[in-house]
Amino acid sequence: APASVQVKLVLLGEAAVGKSSVVLRFVQNEFQENKEPTIGAAFLTQKCRLEDRVLRYEIWDTAGQERFHSLAPMYYRNAQAAVVVYDVTKAVSLDKAKSWVKELQRQANPNIVIALAGNKVDLVNSTSSPAAGVSSDAEDEPDDATATPNESSTGAAESESLRQVPREEAQAYATEAGLLFFETSAKTGEGVVELFTEIAKKIPIE
Ligand code: GTP
Ligand code: MG
Protein backbone atom coordinates (compact mmCIF):
# COMPACT_ATOMS: atom_id res chain seq x y z
CA ALA A 1 0.00 0.00 0.00
CA PRO A 2 1.26 3.53 -0.72
CA ALA A 3 2.54 5.52 2.23
CA SER A 4 0.03 7.91 3.79
CA VAL A 5 1.45 11.37 4.41
CA GLN A 6 -0.20 13.79 6.83
CA VAL A 7 -0.67 17.30 5.49
CA LYS A 8 -1.74 20.19 7.68
CA LEU A 9 -4.02 22.53 5.72
CA VAL A 10 -5.62 25.79 6.90
CA LEU A 11 -8.60 27.66 5.41
CA LEU A 12 -8.69 31.44 5.70
CA GLY A 13 -10.97 34.16 4.33
CA GLU A 14 -13.66 36.67 5.12
CA ALA A 15 -16.72 35.58 7.12
CA ALA A 16 -19.48 33.83 5.14
CA VAL A 17 -17.48 33.26 1.93
CA GLY A 18 -18.08 29.52 2.41
CA LYS A 19 -14.91 28.08 3.98
CA SER A 20 -16.82 25.59 6.17
CA SER A 21 -19.11 24.72 3.27
CA VAL A 22 -16.19 23.93 0.96
CA VAL A 23 -14.73 21.65 3.66
CA LEU A 24 -18.12 20.01 4.28
CA ARG A 25 -18.40 19.31 0.54
CA PHE A 26 -14.88 17.83 0.42
CA VAL A 27 -15.15 15.73 3.59
CA GLN A 28 -18.85 14.63 3.60
CA ASN A 29 -19.99 15.52 0.07
CA GLU A 30 -22.82 17.56 1.63
CA PHE A 31 -24.10 21.13 1.58
CA GLN A 32 -26.17 23.12 4.09
CA GLU A 33 -28.09 26.23 2.94
CA ASN A 34 -27.87 27.91 6.35
CA LYS A 35 -24.53 26.98 7.78
CA GLU A 36 -23.78 28.63 11.11
CA PRO A 37 -20.65 30.83 11.43
CA THR A 38 -17.59 29.03 12.76
CA ILE A 39 -16.52 29.94 16.29
CA GLY A 40 -12.73 29.81 16.74
CA ALA A 41 -11.94 26.98 14.35
CA ALA A 42 -13.06 23.48 13.37
CA PHE A 43 -10.85 20.45 12.76
CA LEU A 44 -11.60 17.79 10.15
CA THR A 45 -9.63 15.13 8.31
CA GLN A 46 -9.97 13.67 4.85
CA LYS A 47 -7.86 11.36 2.69
CA CYS A 48 -6.84 12.40 -0.78
CA ARG A 49 -5.69 9.71 -3.22
CA LEU A 50 -3.18 10.50 -5.92
CA GLU A 51 -1.84 7.98 -8.44
CA ASP A 52 1.33 7.33 -6.48
CA ARG A 53 0.37 8.14 -2.89
CA VAL A 54 -2.36 8.90 -0.38
CA LEU A 55 -2.38 12.09 1.67
CA ARG A 56 -4.30 12.56 4.89
CA TYR A 57 -5.40 16.17 5.16
CA GLU A 58 -5.63 17.57 8.68
CA ILE A 59 -7.86 20.56 8.02
CA TRP A 60 -8.16 23.64 10.22
CA ASP A 61 -11.27 25.56 9.16
CA THR A 62 -10.87 28.98 10.78
CA ALA A 63 -13.54 31.53 11.72
CA GLY A 64 -13.70 34.52 9.37
CA GLN A 65 -15.27 36.99 11.79
CA GLU A 66 -12.83 39.79 12.54
CA ARG A 67 -12.85 39.13 16.30
CA PHE A 68 -11.11 35.79 15.61
CA HIS A 69 -8.33 37.19 13.40
CA SER A 70 -5.69 37.08 16.14
CA LEU A 71 -6.13 33.29 16.48
CA ALA A 72 -5.18 32.61 12.86
CA PRO A 73 -1.40 32.31 13.37
CA MET A 74 -1.99 29.31 15.66
CA TYR A 75 -3.65 27.55 12.74
CA TYR A 76 -1.37 28.55 9.85
CA ARG A 77 1.84 28.00 11.82
CA ASN A 78 3.47 24.81 10.46
CA ALA A 79 0.75 24.43 7.85
CA GLN A 80 1.98 22.89 4.58
CA ALA A 81 -1.02 24.16 2.63
CA ALA A 82 -3.54 26.98 2.79
CA VAL A 83 -6.79 27.66 0.96
CA VAL A 84 -7.70 31.34 0.92
CA VAL A 85 -11.36 31.70 0.01
CA TYR A 86 -13.33 34.66 -1.37
CA ASP A 87 -16.88 34.98 -2.71
CA VAL A 88 -17.17 35.73 -6.46
CA THR A 89 -20.28 37.83 -5.73
CA LYS A 90 -18.47 40.06 -3.21
CA ALA A 91 -15.52 42.15 -4.42
CA VAL A 92 -14.34 43.18 -0.94
CA SER A 93 -13.87 39.52 -0.05
CA LEU A 94 -11.07 39.34 -2.66
CA ASP A 95 -9.33 42.29 -0.95
CA LYS A 96 -9.54 40.37 2.33
CA ALA A 97 -8.16 37.26 0.60
CA LYS A 98 -5.21 39.28 -0.71
CA SER A 99 -4.41 40.49 2.79
CA TRP A 100 -4.46 36.87 4.06
CA VAL A 101 -2.09 35.86 1.28
CA LYS A 102 0.30 38.67 2.26
CA GLU A 103 0.15 37.59 5.90
CA LEU A 104 0.85 33.96 4.94
CA GLN A 105 3.74 34.94 2.68
CA ARG A 106 5.31 36.94 5.52
CA GLN A 107 4.58 34.73 8.51
CA ALA A 108 3.81 31.16 7.47
CA ASN A 109 6.13 28.33 6.44
CA PRO A 110 8.08 29.62 3.39
CA ASN A 111 7.30 26.41 1.46
CA ILE A 112 3.54 26.60 2.09
CA VAL A 113 1.36 25.76 -0.93
CA ILE A 114 -1.35 28.42 -1.22
CA ALA A 115 -4.51 28.12 -3.29
CA LEU A 116 -6.98 30.93 -3.97
CA ALA A 117 -10.60 29.76 -4.23
CA GLY A 118 -13.38 31.96 -5.65
CA ASN A 119 -16.43 30.28 -4.11
CA LYS A 120 -20.22 30.47 -4.81
CA VAL A 121 -19.65 30.27 -8.56
CA ASP A 122 -23.06 28.54 -8.81
CA LEU A 123 -24.62 31.99 -8.22
CA VAL A 124 -23.08 33.38 -11.42
CA ASN A 125 -23.09 30.29 -13.64
CA SER A 126 -25.87 30.11 -16.16
CA THR A 127 -26.97 26.93 -17.92
CA SER A 128 -29.08 28.84 -20.46
CA SER A 129 -27.67 29.77 -23.87
CA PRO A 130 -25.31 32.77 -24.10
CA ALA A 131 -27.89 34.58 -26.25
CA ALA A 132 -30.58 34.29 -23.57
CA GLY A 133 -31.76 37.65 -22.31
CA VAL A 134 -30.39 39.42 -25.37
CA SER A 135 -33.17 40.37 -27.72
CA SER A 136 -32.89 43.10 -30.32
CA ASP A 137 -36.49 42.78 -31.50
CA ALA A 138 -38.29 42.77 -28.16
CA GLU A 139 -40.71 45.42 -29.47
CA ASP A 140 -41.95 42.98 -32.09
CA GLU A 141 -42.93 40.42 -29.42
CA PRO A 142 -46.64 39.89 -28.87
CA ASP A 143 -48.01 41.54 -25.73
CA ASP A 144 -48.60 38.29 -23.84
CA ALA A 145 -44.89 37.29 -24.24
CA THR A 146 -43.78 40.65 -22.83
CA ALA A 147 -46.09 40.22 -19.88
CA THR A 148 -44.63 36.78 -19.05
CA PRO A 149 -40.89 36.96 -19.79
CA ASN A 150 -39.02 33.75 -20.49
CA GLU A 151 -37.86 32.41 -17.15
CA SER A 152 -34.38 31.29 -18.24
CA SER A 153 -33.48 34.61 -19.88
CA THR A 154 -34.47 36.52 -16.73
CA GLY A 155 -32.36 34.13 -14.66
CA ALA A 156 -29.34 34.59 -16.91
CA ALA A 157 -29.50 38.38 -16.67
CA GLU A 158 -29.75 38.26 -12.87
CA SER A 159 -26.90 35.73 -12.56
CA GLU A 160 -24.50 37.83 -14.63
CA SER A 161 -25.18 40.94 -12.56
CA LEU A 162 -24.28 39.02 -9.37
CA ARG A 163 -20.63 38.47 -10.32
CA GLN A 164 -18.36 41.10 -8.75
CA VAL A 165 -14.98 39.46 -9.34
CA PRO A 166 -14.13 38.61 -12.98
CA ARG A 167 -12.45 35.24 -13.24
CA GLU A 168 -9.61 36.76 -15.33
CA GLU A 169 -8.86 39.37 -12.67
CA ALA A 170 -8.52 36.79 -9.88
CA GLN A 171 -6.54 34.43 -12.12
CA ALA A 172 -4.09 37.23 -13.01
CA TYR A 173 -3.60 38.11 -9.35
CA ALA A 174 -3.09 34.44 -8.43
CA THR A 175 -0.49 33.93 -11.16
CA GLU A 176 1.40 37.05 -10.11
CA ALA A 177 1.34 36.00 -6.42
CA GLY A 178 2.32 32.38 -7.18
CA LEU A 179 -0.96 30.78 -6.07
CA LEU A 180 -3.04 27.93 -7.41
CA PHE A 181 -6.43 29.25 -8.51
CA PHE A 182 -9.89 27.69 -8.70
CA GLU A 183 -13.47 28.85 -8.86
CA THR A 184 -15.59 26.58 -6.68
CA SER A 185 -19.13 25.93 -5.53
CA ALA A 186 -19.68 24.19 -2.22
CA LYS A 187 -23.33 24.01 -3.28
CA THR A 188 -22.84 22.03 -6.53
CA GLY A 189 -19.39 20.64 -5.74
CA GLU A 190 -17.81 22.30 -8.79
CA GLY A 191 -14.04 22.60 -8.44
CA VAL A 192 -13.86 21.31 -4.87
CA VAL A 193 -12.15 17.92 -5.35
CA GLU A 194 -9.90 19.49 -8.02
CA LEU A 195 -8.84 22.18 -5.54
CA PHE A 196 -7.68 19.70 -2.89
CA THR A 197 -6.18 17.30 -5.46
CA GLU A 198 -4.07 19.96 -7.18
CA ILE A 199 -2.79 21.14 -3.79
CA ALA A 200 -1.90 17.52 -2.91
CA LYS A 201 0.14 17.18 -6.12
CA LYS A 202 2.23 20.20 -5.09
CA ILE A 203 3.07 18.89 -1.61
CA PRO A 204 6.70 17.71 -1.77
CA ILE A 205 7.33 14.00 -1.16
CA GLU A 206 9.41 13.59 1.99
P1 GTP B 1 -17.32 31.84 8.88
O1 GTP B 1 -17.24 30.50 9.56
O2 GTP B 1 -18.16 32.81 9.63
O3 GTP B 1 -15.98 32.42 8.57
O4 GTP B 1 -18.07 31.60 7.44
P2 GTP B 1 -17.66 30.54 6.30
O5 GTP B 1 -16.67 31.15 5.38
O6 GTP B 1 -17.29 29.24 6.91
O7 GTP B 1 -19.02 30.39 5.47
P3 GTP B 1 -20.09 29.21 5.53
O8 GTP B 1 -19.50 27.96 4.97
O9 GTP B 1 -20.65 29.13 6.89
O10 GTP B 1 -21.17 29.72 4.47
C1 GTP B 1 -21.87 30.95 4.65
C2 GTP B 1 -23.19 30.89 3.89
O11 GTP B 1 -22.94 30.81 2.48
C3 GTP B 1 -24.04 29.67 4.24
O12 GTP B 1 -25.40 30.05 4.28
C4 GTP B 1 -23.80 28.71 3.09
O13 GTP B 1 -24.90 27.86 2.84
C5 GTP B 1 -23.56 29.66 1.92
N1 GTP B 1 -22.65 29.09 0.92
C6 GTP B 1 -21.43 28.56 1.15
N2 GTP B 1 -20.87 28.13 0.02
C7 GTP B 1 -21.76 28.38 -0.97
C8 GTP B 1 -21.76 28.15 -2.39
O14 GTP B 1 -20.82 27.63 -3.00
N3 GTP B 1 -22.87 28.56 -3.08
C9 GTP B 1 -23.93 29.15 -2.46
N4 GTP B 1 -24.96 29.50 -3.24
N5 GTP B 1 -23.97 29.38 -1.14
C10 GTP B 1 -22.89 29.00 -0.39
MG1 MG C 1 -17.03 28.67 8.85
Side-chain angles (χ1 to χ4, degrees):
S4 172
V5 189
Q6 308 210 347
V7 175
K8 183 178 167 184
L9 179 146
V10 65
L11 281 102
L12 297 163
E14 191 177 71
V17 295
K19 298 176 295 298
S20 300
S21 299
V22 167
V23 175
L24 184 66
R25 173 60 71 189
F26 179 55
V27 173
Q28 311 259 40
N29 200 20
E30 283 172 12
F31 177 73
Q32 294 173 3
E33 282 292 347
N34 291 299
K35 190 131 181 65
E36 67 289 352
T38 304
I39 303 300
F43 180 75
L44 301 96
T45 66
Q46 174 67 310
K47 280 185 182 158
C48 184
R49 280 167 213 289
L50 298 180
E51 269 180 28
D52 57 336
R53 58 200 167 121
V54 179
L55 284 76
R56 182 175 180 269
Y57 276 124
E58 300 187 325
I59 302 169
W60 287 100
D61 167 28
T62 68
Q65 290 175 40
E66 203 49 43
R67 64 192 167 115
F68 297 114
H69 190 130
S70 63
L71 300 178
M74 287 202 305
Y75 301 108
Y76 65 65
R77 190 156 39 99
N78 303 324
Q80 291 137 283
V83 178
V84 180
V85 184
Y86 70 94
D87 174 344
V88 296
T89 71
K90 209 173 163 211
V92 293
S93 71
L94 180 62
D95 298 334
K96 184 69 191 173
K98 289 178 180 177
S99 84
W100 278 119
V101 169
K102 265 190 201 152
E103 182 167 336
L104 288 170
Q105 290 180 334
R106 281 192 201 130
Q107 322 243 37
N109 172 351
N111 301 321
I112 191 167
V113 176
I114 306 174
L116 179 69
N119 191 43
K120 307 197 188 183
V121 75
D122 60 281
L123 294 175
V124 303
N125 278 347
S126 175
T127 51
S128 51
S129 80
V134 179
S135 177
S136 55
D137 55 5
E139 285 148 345
D140 300 336
E141 295 286 307
D143 283 346
D144 61 336
T146 311
T148 54
N150 176 304
E151 213 168 83
S152 68
S153 66
T154 304
E158 284 173 359
S159 294
E160 270 319 302
S161 67
L162 269 177
R163 182 185 277 275
Q164 286 190 4
V165 181
R167 185 190 173 95
E168 301 71 30
E169 179 192 326
Q171 173 72 75
Y173 160 69
T175 302
E176 176 192 303
L179 319 173
L180 292 169
F181 173 66
F182 298 89
E183 285 193 336
T184 60
S185 168
K187 186 166 180 170
T188 66
E190 178 178 344
V192 174
V193 170
E194 293 87 339
L195 164 70
F196 287 93
T197 303
E198 291 307 311
I199 292 169
K201 289 181 187 168
K202 292 206 107 193
I203 301 293
I205 301 169
E206 287 163 45

Short mmCIF file of all heavy atoms in Angstrom, two decimals, residues 57-90:
data_model
loop_
_atom_site.label_atom_id
_atom_site.label_comp_id
_atom_site.label_asym_id
_atom_site.label_seq_id
_atom_site.Cartn_x
_atom_site.Cartn_y
_atom_site.Cartn_z
N TYR A 57 -5.30 14.75 4.81
CA TYR A 57 -5.40 16.17 5.16
C TYR A 57 -5.88 16.32 6.60
O TYR A 57 -6.88 15.71 7.00
CB TYR A 57 -6.40 16.88 4.25
CG TYR A 57 -5.84 17.34 2.92
CD1 TYR A 57 -6.41 16.93 1.73
CD2 TYR A 57 -4.76 18.22 2.86
CE1 TYR A 57 -5.92 17.36 0.51
CE2 TYR A 57 -4.26 18.66 1.64
CZ TYR A 57 -4.85 18.23 0.47
OH TYR A 57 -4.36 18.67 -0.73
N GLU A 58 -5.17 17.13 7.36
CA GLU A 58 -5.63 17.57 8.68
C GLU A 58 -6.02 19.03 8.50
O GLU A 58 -5.17 19.91 8.36
CB GLU A 58 -4.50 17.42 9.69
CG GLU A 58 -4.07 15.96 9.79
CD GLU A 58 -3.07 15.73 10.91
OE1 GLU A 58 -2.24 16.63 11.15
OE2 GLU A 58 -3.14 14.66 11.52
N ILE A 59 -7.33 19.27 8.47
CA ILE A 59 -7.86 20.56 8.02
C ILE A 59 -8.28 21.43 9.20
O ILE A 59 -9.11 21.02 10.02
CB ILE A 59 -9.07 20.33 7.08
CG1 ILE A 59 -8.65 19.47 5.87
CG2 ILE A 59 -9.67 21.67 6.64
CD1 ILE A 59 -9.84 18.97 5.04
N TRP A 60 -7.73 22.63 9.25
CA TRP A 60 -8.16 23.64 10.22
C TRP A 60 -9.00 24.66 9.48
O TRP A 60 -8.49 25.42 8.66
CB TRP A 60 -6.96 24.30 10.89
CG TRP A 60 -6.31 23.37 11.87
CD1 TRP A 60 -5.19 22.62 11.67
CD2 TRP A 60 -6.77 23.08 13.20
NE1 TRP A 60 -4.92 21.88 12.80
CE2 TRP A 60 -5.87 22.14 13.75
CE3 TRP A 60 -7.86 23.52 13.98
CZ2 TRP A 60 -6.03 21.63 15.04
CZ3 TRP A 60 -8.01 23.02 15.26
CH2 TRP A 60 -7.10 22.09 15.78
N ASP A 61 -10.30 24.64 9.77
CA ASP A 61 -11.27 25.56 9.16
C ASP A 61 -11.47 26.72 10.13
O ASP A 61 -12.14 26.58 11.14
CB ASP A 61 -12.57 24.77 8.92
CG ASP A 61 -13.75 25.67 8.59
OD1 ASP A 61 -13.53 26.76 8.03
OD2 ASP A 61 -14.89 25.26 8.90
N THR A 62 -10.86 27.86 9.82
CA THR A 62 -10.87 28.98 10.78
C THR A 62 -12.14 29.81 10.67
O THR A 62 -12.87 29.73 9.67
CB THR A 62 -9.64 29.90 10.58
OG1 THR A 62 -9.75 30.57 9.32
CG2 THR A 62 -8.33 29.11 10.63
N ALA A 63 -12.38 30.63 11.68
CA ALA A 63 -13.54 31.53 11.72
C ALA A 63 -13.16 32.84 11.02
O ALA A 63 -12.12 33.42 11.31
CB ALA A 63 -13.95 31.80 13.16
N GLY A 64 -14.02 33.31 10.12
CA GLY A 64 -13.70 34.52 9.37
C GLY A 64 -14.04 35.82 10.08
O GLY A 64 -13.55 36.88 9.69
N GLN A 65 -14.90 35.75 11.10
CA GLN A 65 -15.27 36.99 11.79
C GLN A 65 -14.03 37.66 12.36
O GLN A 65 -13.14 37.00 12.89
CB GLN A 65 -16.28 36.69 12.91
CG GLN A 65 -17.66 36.29 12.39
CD GLN A 65 -18.61 35.88 13.51
OE1 GLN A 65 -18.63 36.49 14.57
NE2 GLN A 65 -19.38 34.83 13.27
N GLU A 66 -14.02 39.01 12.22
CA GLU A 66 -12.83 39.79 12.54
C GLU A 66 -12.34 39.57 13.97
O GLU A 66 -11.14 39.55 14.23
CB GLU A 66 -13.13 41.28 12.30
CG GLU A 66 -11.90 42.14 12.05
CD GLU A 66 -10.91 41.59 11.02
OE1 GLU A 66 -11.35 41.10 9.96
OE2 GLU A 66 -9.70 41.63 11.30
N ARG A 67 -13.27 39.31 14.91
CA ARG A 67 -12.85 39.13 16.30
C ARG A 67 -11.98 37.89 16.50
O ARG A 67 -11.35 37.73 17.54
CB ARG A 67 -14.08 39.08 17.22
CG ARG A 67 -15.01 37.89 16.96
CD ARG A 67 -16.34 38.09 17.70
NE ARG A 67 -17.34 37.16 17.24
CZ ARG A 67 -17.89 36.20 17.99
NH1 ARG A 67 -17.52 36.03 19.24
NH2 ARG A 67 -18.82 35.42 17.50
N PHE A 68 -11.94 36.99 15.49
CA PHE A 68 -11.11 35.79 15.61
C PHE A 68 -9.77 35.90 14.88
O PHE A 68 -8.98 34.96 14.89
CB PHE A 68 -11.87 34.57 15.08
CG PHE A 68 -13.11 34.23 15.85
CD1 PHE A 68 -14.36 34.35 15.27
CD2 PHE A 68 -13.02 33.79 17.18
CE1 PHE A 68 -15.51 34.04 16.00
CE2 PHE A 68 -14.17 33.48 17.91
CZ PHE A 68 -15.41 33.61 17.31
N HIS A 69 -9.52 37.05 14.24
CA HIS A 69 -8.33 37.19 13.40
C HIS A 69 -7.03 36.85 14.13
O HIS A 69 -6.16 36.19 13.58
CB HIS A 69 -8.24 38.62 12.83
CG HIS A 69 -7.19 38.79 11.78
ND1 HIS A 69 -7.42 39.36 10.55
CD2 HIS A 69 -5.88 38.43 11.76
CE1 HIS A 69 -6.32 39.34 9.84
NE2 HIS A 69 -5.36 38.80 10.55
N SER A 70 -6.94 37.28 15.40
CA SER A 70 -5.69 37.08 16.14
C SER A 70 -5.38 35.61 16.42
O SER A 70 -4.25 35.26 16.76
CB SER A 70 -5.74 37.86 17.46
OG SER A 70 -6.79 37.34 18.26
N LEU A 71 -6.37 34.73 16.26
CA LEU A 71 -6.13 33.29 16.48
C LEU A 71 -5.47 32.63 15.28
O LEU A 71 -4.88 31.55 15.41
CB LEU A 71 -7.46 32.56 16.74
CG LEU A 71 -8.30 32.99 17.93
CD1 LEU A 71 -9.60 32.17 17.98
CD2 LEU A 71 -7.53 32.80 19.23
N ALA A 72 -5.59 33.26 14.12
CA ALA A 72 -5.18 32.61 12.86
C ALA A 72 -3.74 32.07 12.87
O ALA A 72 -3.52 30.95 12.40
CB ALA A 72 -5.41 33.56 11.69
N PRO A 73 -2.77 32.83 13.40
CA PRO A 73 -1.40 32.31 13.37
C PRO A 73 -1.24 30.94 14.02
O PRO A 73 -0.43 30.13 13.56
CB PRO A 73 -0.59 33.38 14.13
CG PRO A 73 -1.37 34.63 13.93
CD PRO A 73 -2.82 34.21 13.93
N MET A 74 -2.05 30.65 15.03
CA MET A 74 -1.99 29.31 15.66
C MET A 74 -2.31 28.23 14.65
O MET A 74 -1.84 27.11 14.75
CB MET A 74 -3.02 29.21 16.78
CG MET A 74 -2.66 29.97 18.01
SD MET A 74 -3.56 29.30 19.43
CE MET A 74 -5.26 29.37 18.88
N TYR A 75 -3.19 28.56 13.70
CA TYR A 75 -3.65 27.55 12.74
C TYR A 75 -2.78 27.49 11.49
O TYR A 75 -2.65 26.44 10.89
CB TYR A 75 -5.12 27.79 12.39
CG TYR A 75 -5.99 27.71 13.62
CD1 TYR A 75 -6.57 28.86 14.17
CD2 TYR A 75 -6.18 26.50 14.27
CE1 TYR A 75 -7.32 28.79 15.32
CE2 TYR A 75 -6.94 26.42 15.43
CZ TYR A 75 -7.50 27.58 15.95
OH TYR A 75 -8.24 27.51 17.10
N TYR A 76 -2.21 28.63 11.06
CA TYR A 76 -1.37 28.55 9.85
C TYR A 76 0.10 28.24 10.17
O TYR A 76 0.85 27.87 9.27
CB TYR A 76 -1.55 29.76 8.92
CG TYR A 76 -1.13 31.12 9.41
CD1 TYR A 76 0.20 31.44 9.68
CD2 TYR A 76 -2.09 32.14 9.54
CE1 TYR A 76 0.58 32.72 10.08
CE2 TYR A 76 -1.72 33.42 9.95
CZ TYR A 76 -0.39 33.70 10.22
OH TYR A 76 -0.03 34.96 10.61
N ARG A 77 0.47 28.36 11.44
CA ARG A 77 1.84 28.00 11.82
C ARG A 77 2.06 26.52 11.51
O ARG A 77 1.22 25.68 11.83
CB ARG A 77 2.05 28.25 13.31
CG ARG A 77 3.47 28.14 13.77
CD ARG A 77 3.70 28.95 15.03
NE ARG A 77 2.58 28.88 15.98
CZ ARG A 77 2.55 28.06 17.03
NH1 ARG A 77 3.54 27.28 17.29
NH2 ARG A 77 1.50 28.07 17.83
N ASN A 78 3.15 26.19 10.86
CA ASN A 78 3.47 24.81 10.46
C ASN A 78 2.56 24.21 9.40
O ASN A 78 2.70 23.04 9.06
CB ASN A 78 3.48 23.85 11.67
CG ASN A 78 4.45 24.30 12.73
OD1 ASN A 78 5.51 24.83 12.41
ND2 ASN A 78 4.09 24.11 13.99
N ALA A 79 1.62 24.99 8.90
CA ALA A 79 0.75 24.43 7.85
C ALA A 79 1.55 24.26 6.56
O ALA A 79 2.39 25.09 6.22
CB ALA A 79 -0.44 25.36 7.60
N GLN A 80 1.31 23.13 5.87
CA GLN A 80 1.98 22.89 4.58
C GLN A 80 1.15 23.41 3.42
O GLN A 80 1.64 23.52 2.30
CB GLN A 80 2.21 21.39 4.39
CG GLN A 80 3.24 20.83 5.34
CD GLN A 80 2.79 19.50 5.90
OE1 GLN A 80 1.95 19.44 6.78
NE2 GLN A 80 3.33 18.43 5.35
N ALA A 81 -0.14 23.67 3.69
CA ALA A 81 -1.02 24.16 2.63
C ALA A 81 -2.05 25.11 3.21
O ALA A 81 -2.43 24.99 4.38
CB ALA A 81 -1.72 22.99 1.94
N ALA A 82 -2.48 26.05 2.39
CA ALA A 82 -3.54 26.98 2.79
C ALA A 82 -4.49 27.20 1.63
O ALA A 82 -4.07 27.27 0.47
CB ALA A 82 -2.93 28.33 3.21
N VAL A 83 -5.78 27.28 1.94
CA VAL A 83 -6.79 27.66 0.96
C VAL A 83 -7.36 28.99 1.43
O VAL A 83 -7.91 29.09 2.52
CB VAL A 83 -7.92 26.61 0.85
CG1 VAL A 83 -8.97 27.07 -0.15
CG2 VAL A 83 -7.36 25.25 0.46
N VAL A 84 -7.17 30.02 0.61
CA VAL A 84 -7.70 31.34 0.92
C VAL A 84 -8.93 31.54 0.04
O VAL A 84 -8.85 31.49 -1.19
CB VAL A 84 -6.64 32.43 0.68
CG1 VAL A 84 -7.22 33.80 1.01
CG2 VAL A 84 -5.39 32.16 1.52
N VAL A 85 -10.07 31.71 0.71
CA VAL A 85 -11.36 31.70 0.01
C VAL A 85 -11.94 33.12 -0.08
O VAL A 85 -11.85 33.90 0.88
CB VAL A 85 -12.37 30.78 0.75
CG1 VAL A 85 -13.69 30.68 -0.02
CG2 VAL A 85 -11.77 29.39 0.97
N TYR A 86 -12.51 33.44 -1.25
CA TYR A 86 -13.33 34.66 -1.37
C TYR A 86 -14.63 34.25 -2.04
O TYR A 86 -14.81 33.10 -2.43
CB TYR A 86 -12.57 35.76 -2.15
CG TYR A 86 -12.38 35.48 -3.62
CD1 TYR A 86 -13.28 35.97 -4.58
CD2 TYR A 86 -11.31 34.71 -4.06
CE1 TYR A 86 -13.10 35.71 -5.92
CE2 TYR A 86 -11.13 34.43 -5.41
CZ TYR A 86 -12.02 34.93 -6.34
OH TYR A 86 -11.86 34.65 -7.67
N ASP A 87 -15.54 35.22 -2.15
CA ASP A 87 -16.88 34.98 -2.71
C ASP A 87 -16.94 35.76 -4.03
O ASP A 87 -16.76 36.98 -4.03
CB ASP A 87 -17.90 35.49 -1.67
CG ASP A 87 -19.35 35.46 -2.15
OD1 ASP A 87 -19.60 35.34 -3.36
OD2 ASP A 87 -20.23 35.61 -1.27
N VAL A 88 -17.18 35.07 -5.14
CA VAL A 88 -17.17 35.73 -6.46
C VAL A 88 -18.24 36.80 -6.59
O VAL A 88 -18.18 37.64 -7.49
CB VAL A 88 -17.28 34.72 -7.63
CG1 VAL A 88 -16.08 33.79 -7.68
CG2 VAL A 88 -18.59 33.95 -7.58
N THR A 89 -19.23 36.80 -5.67
CA THR A 89 -20.28 37.83 -5.73
C THR A 89 -19.99 39.00 -4.79
O THR A 89 -20.84 39.86 -4.61
CB THR A 89 -21.68 37.24 -5.38
OG1 THR A 89 -21.75 36.93 -3.99
CG2 THR A 89 -21.98 35.99 -6.18
N LYS A 90 -18.79 39.02 -4.19
CA LYS A 90 -18.47 40.06 -3.21
C LYS A 90 -17.02 40.54 -3.38
O LYS A 90 -16.08 39.90 -2.88
CB LYS A 90 -18.69 39.48 -1.81
CG LYS A 90 -19.08 40.51 -0.81
CD LYS A 90 -19.45 39.92 0.53
CE LYS A 90 -19.41 41.01 1.58
NZ LYS A 90 -19.04 40.49 2.90
#
